[in-house]
Amino acid sequence: MPPWPVFVGVGAVLGSLSGLFGVGGSSLATPLLSVLGVPGLMAVASPLPATVPTAVTAAWPYVRRRNVRPRAALWSLVGAVPASVIGALLAHLIGGGPLLIASGVALVAVGVRVLRPVSDRAHRVGEARRRDRPMLVAASAGVGLFTGLLANGGGFLLVPMFLLVFGLTMLEAAGTSLAVVAALAIPTTAMHGALGHIDWSVAGALAIGATPASAVTALWAQHKNARRMQAAFAWFLIVSGAAFILYRLVA
């Protein structure tokens, strides 16, 4: 494998994405780490420990600008945390290949939908859905299951869920996702760490690069046009989905 500064650079890229879009960047981390020689499940799970400090650091500017919905985050965790533990336990039984391809297809499809503006009516309907706590918990449990299976923070599904289903703006979706990701990554990291899926030296280098980068881009994101941020996020999903699929086909 290459020297640790290379992984610090990869971490900086992932942290930048986290601050901008409220995601952990795992969709890009796994193929990048695989190319750099990190084997198998370690390429999938090693970005996880860096997710906690990165998400906490990135979330702070969103909190200061009131772009985090605490109740939505808390109810999301009620569904997502136990489901993420189950997903982590099932990961080695199901195998990464089919999951990566399915996730890639889902990301491309969601990205295409996110490219379309969210209408005022859809926003109002989403706000009503958000008050339906069982629905919010159930939807978050689905995200948590994928989070455990794919060993990521879950932001790549949380942000579209908050944006398209539960009526948050792009900045609110990103900020609320970061709050959920910071907490959700803890049990997922613990489970994959206990199963021996994490290369801790790689994880540490990623954290060194990701944490400061996420702070810078999160501050920058607060001053950007919401519509342009949504379009940029949509293209990020599409590229990430393609990366999932390509990684599996050539791995």
Side-chain angles (χ1 to χ4, degrees), residues 183-201:
L184 186 56
I186 295 173
T188 312
T189 299
M191 291 303 302
H192 283 281
L195 293 169
H197 297 164
I198 296 173
D199 184 322
W200 291 99
S201 62

Side-chain angles (χ1 to χ4, degrees), residues 8-201:
V8 173
V10 171
V13 172
L14 302 179
S16 298
L17 294 171
S18 183
L20 280 174
F21 301 130
V23 301
S26 298
S27 52
L28 298 179
T30 296
L32 284 174
L33 293 183
S34 181
V35 168
L36 291 173
V38 179
L41 276 174
M42 287 188 175
V44 175
S46 293
L48 267 175
T51 300
V52 179
T54 301
V56 169
T57 303
W60 181 240
Y62 289 89
V63 171
R64 292 184 62 186
R65 290 281 183 143
R66 300 182 183 274
N67 283 321
V68 174
R69 293 296 186 96
R71 290 183 181 177
L74 287 172
W75 282 105
S76 296
L77 287 169
V78 170
V81 169
S84 71
V85 173
I86 295 170
L89 291 171
L90 293 174
H92 70 287
L93 297 176
I94 297 176
L99 289 170
L100 285 171
I101 291 178
S103 298
V105 172
L107 283 178
V108 172
V110 171
V112 170
R113 171 60 188 87
V114 172
L115 277 174
R116 295 168 50 199
V118 180
S119 68
D120 291 340
R121 180 180 180 278
H123 184 76
R124 290 193 298 271
V125 171
E127 287 182 334
R129 289 197 194 106
R130 197 166 67 248
R131 291 190 289 270
D132 184 348
R133 303 309 188 195
M135 182 177 182
L136 181 55
V137 170
S140 301
V143 171
L145 185 65
F146 271 98
T147 295
L149 286 169
L150 296 174
N152 59 58
F156 75 104
L157 290 176
L158 282 168
V159 175
M161 181 187 81
F162 288 136
L163 181 68
L164 300 177
V165 180
F166 294 111
L168 299 187
T169 67
M170 181 60 209
L171 284 175
E172 289 173 339
T176 306
S177 169
L178 284 168
V180 175
V181 164
L184 186 56
I186 295 173
T188 312
T189 299
M191 291 303 302
H192 283 281
L195 293 169
H197 297 164
I198 296 173
D199 184 322
W200 291 99
S201 62

